Amino acid sequence: MAHTHISERQEPHSHDHSHEHQEPHSHNHDHDHDHDHDHDHDHSHGFGLGHHHHTVSPKEVNQAFVIGIVLNFLFVIIEVVVGLAIHSLSLLSDAGHNLADVASLAMALVAFRLLKVKPTEKYTYGYKKTTILVALLNAAILLVSLGAIGYEAIHRLMAPESLPGKTISIVAAIGIAVNALTALLFLRGKNSDLNIRSAFLHLLSDAIVSAALVIGGIIIFYTHLFWIDAALSLLVAIVILFSTWQLLRDSLRLSLDGVPEGIEPRKIKDIIGGMNGVKDFHHIHIWAISTTENALTAHLVVDRNCTMEDVEQLKNRIKHELLHQNIQHATLEIETENSPCQEPDC
């Protein structure tokens, strides 16, 4: 992981960005950067949405996305073929919704692949931010698809169409199996990453819509109440809207470099500020590098009697604690209490 103004992390007690003396130089702007903080025990630190979630391996995620894309695309083909054959607008509308989800899954898969791209001189964070942008785009796509479902449902409520309920139920039942199966692949990691949660919501919403179509098809088959299908679709759209809104809110906050969910700046300030040797901890900025990694920059004021060795040990303790707060990358600017920061706190 590279930062815009740093070099690779150096071994402890090697030269810093500042002039190294036995005593800390007053207000020396000692920029310390954390890249891969090693531990001799497992912390199971979480991803971008909070801390201490179960981590999901990249191989599992990649496999889940590929399976989801393939199965859902095959189901889209089935819906289109049958929908055209029986002139079912509901199946064709659902096929369009599912096709949008396939595109969303594909974009999320591309974003995860881009996570592995190494940083360059022009993109010093690599392409990690694409995972956040794709999550935001997926939320927007889901909202648009829900709007389309709602619009079509209202249209069919006003002008119900004769539909072969049995055929609709059979095709929709296939949809339940396909979407439920692929949603389960994302169940374990849905609280650890925005894109995994987005995929889970997409697939879950598809399964619920398919279930509504099955119920509607059965009712239509026995009662010929064709408006039931539209009413169920509208109800499902409203229910899914609430979970989608949270996804949109979270992804928008991360896109604007807001503090990720589950991280409390005040709590971090109190924890770090209470450590021995720390006189103040301010200018704290916390943001998400991707949907799986968070970063922090801050000014650390140390005791005037601290040696460089003391400072180095203190920084290591702070970074260790920050990992427990789900912050994987830290940049600390060292200051001494007899030369406090003159910059306004921001």
Side-chain angles (χ1 to χ4, degrees):
M1 183 63 214
H3 295 273
T4 50
H5 61 287
I6 66 174
S7 61
E8 290 298 318
R9 185 186 177 194
Q10 300 164 2
E11 295 299 321
H13 308 301
S14 63
H15 65 278
D16 250 324
H17 287 210
S18 61
H19 300 290
E20 187 174 327
H21 301 285
Q22 181 62 25
E23 297 295 328
H25 193 282
S26 61
H27 196 59
N28 60 6
H29 299 282
D30 176 11
H31 298 287
D32 178 75
H33 309 277
D34 177 42
H35 296 278
D36 294 307
H37 194 68
D38 296 326
H39 297 277
D40 55 1
H41 56 283
D42 178 29
H43 291 293
S44 296
H45 297 292
F47 287 81
L49 294 178
H51 41 90
H52 303 297
H53 291 299
H54 295 291
T55 58
V56 184
S57 71
K59 184 177 180 181
E60 284 184 61
V61 173
N62 185 80
Q63 187 177 46
F65 275 111
V66 171
I67 293 174
I69 290 170
V70 172
L71 289 181
N72 278 271
F73 187 69
L74 290 175
F75 180 60
V76 166
I77 294 176
I78 293 174
E79 281 193 309
V80 170
V81 171
V82 176
L84 290 174
I86 66 175
H87 304 287
S88 172
L89 195 57
S90 62
L91 285 181
L92 291 175
S93 298
D94 191 50
H97 175 224
N98 282 320
L99 185 60
D101 287 351
V102 170
S104 296
L105 290 173
M107 286 188 294
L109 177 59
V110 170
F112 271 103
R113 294 286 180 87
L114 289 175
L115 273 175
K116 300 179 181 179
V117 177
K118 293 182 178 180
T120 65
E121 288 186 2
K122 292 186 178 295
Y123 293 92
T124 55
Y125 281 116
Y127 297 101
K128 295 178 184 291
K129 199 80 168 182
T130 56
T131 57
I132 296 174
L133 298 178
V134 165
L136 179 61
L137 182 59
N138 279 342
I141 290 175
L142 192 55
L143 284 177
V144 171
S145 63
L146 286 176
I149 292 173
Y151 174 81
E152 185 58 35
I154 293 174
H155 176 75
R156 282 188 279 131
L157 274 174
M158 294 185 296
E161 299 179 15
S162 177
L163 298 171
K166 184 178 180 180
T167 304
I168 292 175
S169 293
I170 292 173
V171 174
I174 297 173
I176 294 176
V178 169
N179 289 301
L181 175 63
T182 47
L184 285 175
L185 297 176
F186 297 99
L187 179 62
R188 193 164 74 92
K190 70 181 180 66
N191 292 323
S192 65
D193 181 88
L194 273 179
N195 279 305
I196 296 178
R197 187 207 292 181
S198 173
F200 179 78
L201 288 175
H202 276 288
L203 296 167
L204 182 62
S205 68
D206 290 345
I208 295 174
V209 169
S210 294
L213 288 177
V214 168
I215 296 171
I218 293 173
I219 295 175
I220 289 171
F221 180 75
Y222 286 105
T223 66
H224 298 288
L225 296 175
F226 302 118
W227 59 267
I228 292 294
D229 183 53
L232 285 173
S233 296
L234 189 60
L235 179 62
V236 167
I238 294 174
V239 171
I240 297 174
L241 177 63
F242 287 99
S243 59
T244 304
W245 185 257
Q246 183 178 359
L247 174 65
L248 178 65
R249 183 194 64 189
D250 290 342
S251 56
L252 182 60
R253 182 177 69 247
L254 295 188
S255 298
L256 297 175
D257 288 336
V259 177
E261 184 181 351
I263 296 179
E264 303 176 34
R266 173 58 59 182
K267 178 182 177 182
I268 291 175
K269 181 179 174 66
D270 291 342
I271 291 174
I272 305 302
M275 288 184 172
N276 290 332
V278 176
K279 293 301 181 181
D280 193 19
F281 194 64
H282 60 276
H283 275 316
I284 303 171
H285 297 280
I286 305 170
W287 74 98
I289 298 174
S290 70
T291 54
T292 61
E293 297 175 84
N294 301 314
L296 170 146
T297 61
H299 290 194
L300 175 66
V301 182
V302 299
D303 190 287
R304 70 185 68 186
N305 297 319
C306 283
T307 64
M308 288 306 299
E309 182 178 357
D310 294 334
V311 171
E312 201 65 34
Q313 291 176 355
L314 179 59
K315 289 188 294 188
N316 288 335
R317 293 205 312 272
I318 290 174
K319 291 172 189 173
H320 185 92
E321 179 57 44
L322 289 175
L323 277 175
H324 285 285
Q325 303 302 320
N326 195 28
I327 295 175
Q328 296 79 14
H329 302 272
T331 302
L332 303 175
E333 181 171 319
I334 308 300
E335 302 167 353
T336 54
E337 61 177 328
N338 58 345
S339 183
C341 177
Q342 300 299 320
E343 300 175 27
D345 204 359
C346 56

